[in-house]
Amino acid sequence: MGKAYIVDAKRTPVISPLKYGEDGVMVAIACMKRGMPINNIIAAMPGATAPGPIAGSLSLTLAETLSTLVMTNVFELGYPMIFGNWPLAIDLRTGAFRGGSGEMALLNAASAQLSNSLGLPSGCACSMSDSKSPDAQMGMEKALTALACGLAGGNMIYESSGMMASLLGASFEAFVMDDEMLSLIYRMIRGIEVNEQSLEFESIQSVVSDTGHFLGQPETMLSMERDYFYPKLADREEPIVWQEKGSLNHLSRAKSRAKELLKHHPNYLTSEIDNSIRKAYPILL
């Protein structure tokens, strides 16, 4: 099976507001000639390269992403392109990028809905925390933006796992935390299955007139594995059990898990190549 490549986001053919960039267009055409799927990303910023009002910003970025889709089809009809319309939010007081803001969540969730309404695969920007360490702020911002895009029907999310400091850094602990956070979001996106088996009418009748609980019902055991996600990192112990195990917080558990994972890595390089790279660069791992 051949490898799949994605065009780098920095080479998007469109430059906001509403202009084609010659170098970006040429790169996209070159990639198309080589059969590389295009991941077009419009990263306009409301108040800077897009209108300040959220509705106006969404209108502009949608038009820009559509213009890239049109350009792609002009050169090759039906060529695969991910509809990456993800407007970025900035703090209008300072001009600084704010990837973990509520506006970022709203903009990209709305963008996913717009893309899906056109029957196009949508790409969203989310989980870009502005926090500089894996802390409560990081958890709040990542969960907020990722959940919004997920529930809005986003098909693909970018810059998510491990990313922090407004995309200026990444963290091993954050990768571990985000893996579990995104698993919880996937569970929510899956929703609730409604059918005769899941409604449990006969089971309810039996329990009400007998034991008064559902612990022994066969459907309970089935739903235990089917309907629920069980985190391995997040703590769900009783307070006394948590204290007996060392009173570790989420970050401490994530550090331990990350160190454990880093012990097991494939050796893609020979020792000679690895040594030559380490002599040339200050690699700390």
Side-chain angles (χ1 to χ4, degrees):
M1 183 175 180
K3 294 182 179 179
Y5 297 90
I6 299 296
V7 178
D8 189 272
K10 298 180 181 66
R11 300 191 181 98
T12 282
V14 169
I15 300 175
S16 300
L18 283 172
K19 287 183 173 64
Y20 285 110
E22 182 178 354
D23 57 343
V25 171
M26 297 308 295
V27 169
I29 294 173
C31 292
M32 291 170 67
K33 289 179 179 178
R34 289 159 178 80
M36 298 166 63
I38 294 179
N39 186 8
N40 177 69
I41 298 207
I42 300 297
M45 296 174 286
T49 55
I54 287 177
S57 181
L58 285 168
S59 176
L60 177 69
T61 56
L62 178 64
E64 291 173 332
T65 317
L66 283 170
S67 70
T68 305
L69 185 62
V70 170
M71 184 210 80
T72 302
N73 279 270
V74 165
F75 288 104
E76 185 173 339
L77 187 64
Y79 195 85
M81 186 194 97
I82 296 174
F83 203 76
N85 174 23
W86 41 286
L88 303 181
I90 62 172
D91 190 323
L92 292 174
R93 300 169 300 179
T94 63
F97 170 54
R98 288 294 171 258
S101 63
E103 294 78 22
M104 185 75 174
L106 181 62
L107 278 162
N108 282 274
S111 174
Q113 292 180 321
L114 285 170
S115 302
N116 292 346
S117 70
L118 297 172
L120 299 168
S122 56
C124 305
C126 71
S127 300
M128 301 180 184
S129 176
D130 302 314
S131 176
K132 315 310 181 287
S133 64
D135 56 9
Q137 178 187 340
M138 188 190 83
M140 172 186 70
E141 292 176 344
K142 281 177 170 283
L144 178 72
T145 55
L147 181 60
C149 288
L151 293 179
N155 301 121
M156 187 174 181
I157 58 173
Y158 306 80
E159 316 296 349
S160 181
S161 293
M163 302 303 294
M164 57 197 306
S166 304
L167 293 183
L168 295 178
S171 160
F172 289 126
E173 293 87 354
F175 276 114
V176 174
M177 292 175 173
D178 291 345
D179 174 64
E180 198 157 275
M181 179 269 292
L182 292 170
S183 295
L184 290 166
I185 289 175
Y186 274 123
R187 177 60 194 96
M188 297 180 70
I189 293 172
R190 187 180 131 197
I192 301 171
E193 292 80 14
V194 180
N195 52 47
E196 290 187 11
Q197 182 183 21
S198 64
L199 289 174
E200 294 279 303
F201 180 68
E202 292 182 0
S203 178
I204 292 172
Q205 282 185 313
S206 172
V207 167
V208 168
S209 60
D210 189 11
T211 61
H213 65 77
F214 293 86
L215 293 175
Q217 295 297 305
E219 292 83 1
T220 299
M221 296 300 294
L222 288 173
S223 64
M224 178 180 175
E225 299 295 332
R226 181 192 62 211
D227 296 339
Y228 299 89
F229 172 76
Y230 303 96
K232 296 180 181 179
L233 187 65
D235 177 72
R236 290 182 173 179
E237 302 281 6
E238 295 294 327
I240 185 64
V241 177
W242 174 72
Q243 289 177 330
E244 290 172 350
K245 290 184 177 180
S247 306
L248 299 177
N249 61 21
H250 198 54
L251 177 56
S252 297
R253 293 191 298 274
K255 283 184 176 179
S256 177
R257 178 61 176 156
K259 288 180 180 179
E260 180 183 335
L261 291 171
L262 289 171
K263 290 179 182 177
H264 310 283
H265 57 84
N267 294 319
Y268 293 113
L269 306 176
T270 64
S271 57
E272 292 79 10
I273 295 176
D274 184 68
N275 289 334
S276 65
I277 293 174
R278 291 180 184 277
K279 287 180 181 178
Y281 301 98
I283 298 173
L284 302 179
L285 290 176

